[in-house]
């Protein structure tokens, strides 16, 4: 592990903020906003799909501390309206989401609901990749991206150690096409008190067979990039035109078992996948990126991988999820994975 | 069953067109376009999610017969560019989709794929609700809407009798927010050669317990409208802010077991749900509507219902599906079903 510095800070409204840096983090905090933090989510059970739905009505009031023209994820500036981060010198910042779907001390669910309900226990974090307002996983320096990978790893360990957490998922929503209005480079982490449905299915598949390891030798037409020990490819069963997966050749339950060299290769390849995306249409490419690591108890068979779902099917056309995808769960795809893989392979 | 007339027609490119009307359908067809119909979809298996994905690369060329300013779903006019329907007098028209995901005689799948593949056998139909270019399920006359309900019922029976079909789903994508560019009132029907994942889960739930019948007596705070024998409600576990379900109180596997009176009540309530949606923001309300009838073999326990998924959370804000929904399968909802139900109940 490369040396990095870490500093815990309790924000004015009680939320935790953690700074990570390559040099000491010792400055005094700037003044903070004084709004109270209030979140009362709960879970309800969907009896036909067999899954939990999270209700977070407080999110309707989603506003941000600073006025619209200021980015809440930028470092605060002396004398200016406070942002989420009352510090100026750090590399990566992680803080508890102001409008969380899951919280450490949720209220009990409403009584008398017609379906089973539970407290929405867990944690939602925001991960600010850089103090700079513009950029992406592709434009971070190699050193910054490696630190970010170590931060994810550290958060995996911290969040899986919370009582009741069964699945931890770092993810990134990027671009207005997936609903993002904050352009500052950032991702999120959810720590769930249950294994979400997609992870349940993946876990069941991995318990039966080493699906990815069986697939790897057959991906000649599908790979787009690689690094020592890691492969990026369009899955031959992609559900989005430019879907990309990134995985280690050897089975790891999550980044927490990577060697130092594997951490570096992982970070480099992640950056190059995003660079390939951005080169495709010569503009920032929107996507949802989700890390799939082993849910609690699945460490012996689950194979960590990253899935990117881009909403674009051409530069100016979106793939909408509609009747067959949302109503039946069956995706219809216009583009062949062999062809999108070729395009992404040749674009850099 | 009310008397209605039906006429089969083979289009110039070989696709089937069926007209339905309340009076005889005897006019001579107008001239048709002469483009060749070509569709070569195939299925691939997603080994981690355990589901089929449909590849329909020919859909990339999606264009429509008529120039952009003409609606392809309107009746053709003498001397004008031909539309999909070379007739002018009918109430409802059903034809095979020009860019289908599933077809009666698919080619074999490509050889040598790294995952299991199958021919994409099935059928995709377009259902034109009315010859008029504007309108909706809400604005059809009672007589027209009832005929449409009988057409769905007739298509269920026709499509479930095709060899290899295991699930038939009428659905409607409405509005640009769900990707629809044709505004002519219409829906679609897919006849799948497998049971899609969401229907597999619902079937398993119904095999265990009569989920909906257990729920109905507890929906006081959730109902929005009703008709003799039918209830429209926001499910207490809604995954979209204004999600609405419509179901018969008694268990029916599909509309094909409704009495004549039940058909009429079903059609009326469907129209009123859409009228309520349109009244909500005083403008056509976008949605995906999916009919969930019993997949083949599930007739003894499956309870037919209609699910509406609207993408709006307020008049001008969309609910985007992002990290937690697409990456984990867990929905986070800002609005409480009790509150959206109240709004939809009181809006008319």
């Amino acid at each position: 592990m490369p040396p990095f510095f870490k500093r815990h800070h309790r924000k004015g409204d009680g939320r935790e903020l953690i700074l990570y840096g390559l040099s000491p983090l010792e400055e005094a905090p700037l003044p903070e906003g004084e709004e109270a933090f209030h979140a009362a989510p709960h879970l309800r059970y969907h009896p036909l799909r067999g899954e939990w739905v999270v209700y977070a009505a407080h999110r309707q009031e989603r506003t941000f501390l600073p006025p619209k023209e200021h980015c809440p994820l930028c470092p605060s500036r002396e004398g200016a309206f406070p942002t989420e981060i009352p510090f100026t010198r750090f590399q990566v910042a992680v803080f508890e989401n102001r409008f969380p779907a899951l919280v450490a001390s949720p209220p009990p669910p409403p009584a008398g609901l017609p379906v089973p309900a539970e407290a929405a226990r867990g944690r939602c974090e925001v991960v600010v990749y850089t103090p700079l307002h513009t950029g992406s996983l592709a434009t971070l320096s190699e050193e910054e991206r490696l630190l970010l990978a170590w931060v994810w790893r550290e958060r995996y360990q911290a969040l899986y150690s919370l009582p009741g957490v069964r699945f931890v998922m770092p993810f990134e929503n990027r671009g207005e096409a997936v609903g993002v209005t904050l352009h500052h480079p950032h991702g999120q982490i959810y720590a769930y008190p249950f294994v979400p449905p997609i992870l349940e299915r993946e876990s069941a598949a991995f318990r039966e067979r080493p699906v990815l390891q069986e697939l790897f030798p057959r991906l000649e037409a599908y790979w787009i990039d690689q690094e020592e020990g890691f492969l990026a490819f369009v899955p031959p069963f992609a559900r989005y035109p430019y879907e990309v997966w990134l995985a280690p050749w050897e089975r790891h339950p999550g980044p927490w078992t990577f060697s130092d060299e594997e951490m570096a290769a992982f970070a480099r390849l992640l950056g190059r996948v995003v660079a390939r995306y951005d080169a495709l249409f010569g503009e920032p490419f929107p996507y949802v990126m989700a890390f799939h690591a082993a849910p609690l108890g699945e460490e012996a068979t689950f194979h960590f991988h990253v899935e990117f779902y881009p909403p674009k099917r051409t530069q100016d056309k979106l793939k909408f999820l509609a009747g067959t995808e949302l109503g039946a769960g069956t995706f219809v795809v216009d583009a062949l994975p062999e062809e999108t893989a070729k395009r992404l392979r040749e674009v850099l």
Side-chain angles (χ1 to χ4, degrees), chain A:
Chain A
M1 176 164 58
F4 64 85
F5 297 86
K6 184 178 158 187
R7 173 176 178 178
H8 283 263
H9 172 78
R10 186 66 63 177
K11 288 165 60 68
D13 60 12
R15 288 178 295 143
E16 192 181 15
L17 166 68
I18 312 167
L19 302 177
Y20 301 84
L22 298 165
S23 44
L25 303 158
E26 286 163 2
E27 64 185 316
L30 289 159
E32 297 197 53
E34 297 192 354
E35 298 184 39
F37 174 58
H38 164 78
H42 68 275
L43 308 179
R44 302 185 188 188
Y45 191 69
H46 189 310
L48 272 188
R49 293 193 183 221
E51 67 191 39
W52 290 102
V53 180
V54 183
Y55 291 91
H58 56 276
R59 284 163 54 98
Q60 279 178 311
E61 303 138 38
R62 254 181 290 186
T63 51
F64 288 99
L65 287 169
K68 204 170 139 208
E69 61 275 22
H70 296 168
C71 170
L73 306 185
C74 277
S76 290
R77 281 175 300 128
E78 194 104 39
F81 210 88
T83 73
E84 286 279 21
I85 308 171
F87 296 94
T88 59
R89 289 191 296 275
F90 61 92
Q91 246 76 44
V92 176
V94 172
F95 59 84
E96 289 180 82
N97 196 317
R98 190 171 163 74
F99 301 97
L102 304 158
V103 292
S105 302
L113 290 175
V115 288
E118 290 284 349
R121 194 176 311 279
R123 182 159 156 134
C124 292
E125 297 183 339
V126 175
V127 181
V128 176
Y129 295 169
T130 162
L132 298 179
H133 183 66
T134 54
S136 70
L137 285 181
T139 63
L140 293 180
S141 75
E142 195 156 334
E143 195 178 37
E144 291 166 330
R145 200 164 36 232
L146 179 59
L147 173 63
L148 176 59
W150 280 98
V151 170
W152 280 320
R153 176 178 175 142
E154 193 256 1
R155 297 319 298 154
Y156 265 125
Q157 290 169 318
L159 295 172
Y160 267 124
S161 75
L162 294 179
V165 165
R166 299 203 44 211
F167 179 65
V168 174
M169 187 174 81
F171 63 94
E172 180 184 337
N173 301 329
R174 184 192 194 205
E176 296 184 15
V178 297
V180 178
T181 48
L182 296 179
H183 297 295
H184 194 115
H186 74 288
Q188 299 183 57
I189 307 180
Y190 275 23
Y192 300 88
F194 51 81
V195 181
I198 292 167
L199 284 301
E200 266 188 4
R201 269 170 272 157
E202 293 196 352
S203 297
F206 281 128
R207 261 178 260 137
E208 295 234 328
R209 290 163 39 205
V211 177
L212 288 183
Q213 283 161 302
E214 287 176 7
L215 199 60
F216 287 152
R218 310 193 58 191
L219 291 184
E220 203 179 338
Y222 301 91
W223 75 273
I224 63 163
D225 205 340
Q226 54 191 322
E227 272 285 339
E228 189 63 35
F230 287 83
L231 188 66
F233 59 100
V234 176
F237 42 83
R239 294 150 68 249
Y240 299 87
Y242 289 97
E243 184 168 344
V244 166
W245 289 19
L246 186 164
W249 281 89
E250 300 297 325
R251 195 188 65 74
H252 285 270
W256 57 84
T257 59
F258 289 173
S259 68
D260 283 14
E261 292 68 32
E262 285 168 331
M263 287 296 290
F266 171 62
R268 274 198 305 274
L269 189 53
L270 205 52
R272 279 222 306 283
V273 166
V274 176
R276 285 176 182 279
Y277 271 155
D278 290 351
L280 198 57
F281 301 134
E283 62 190 22
F285 191 73
Y287 58 71
V288 170
M289 172 187 80
F291 282 22
H292 285 185
L296 203 69
E298 303 291 342
E299 297 79 2
T301 49
F302 200 98
H303 191 138
F304 171 75
H305 60 285
V306 180
E307 303 189 4
F308 287 87
Y309 318 125
K312 289 204 170 185
R313 48 191 188 92
T314 66
Q315 180 156 16
D316 51 9
K317 279 188 189 147
L318 294 179
K319 160 145 191 76
F320 286 92
L321 304 187
T324 184
E325 289 88 2
L326 301 179
T330 294
F331 276 59
V332 176
V333 186
D334 292 354
L336 293 178
E338 300 78 40
E339 289 167 13
T340 51
K342 185 164 185 287
R343 240 166 276 157
L344 286 167
R345 189 165 56 236
E346 292 174 356
V347 76
L348 277 197

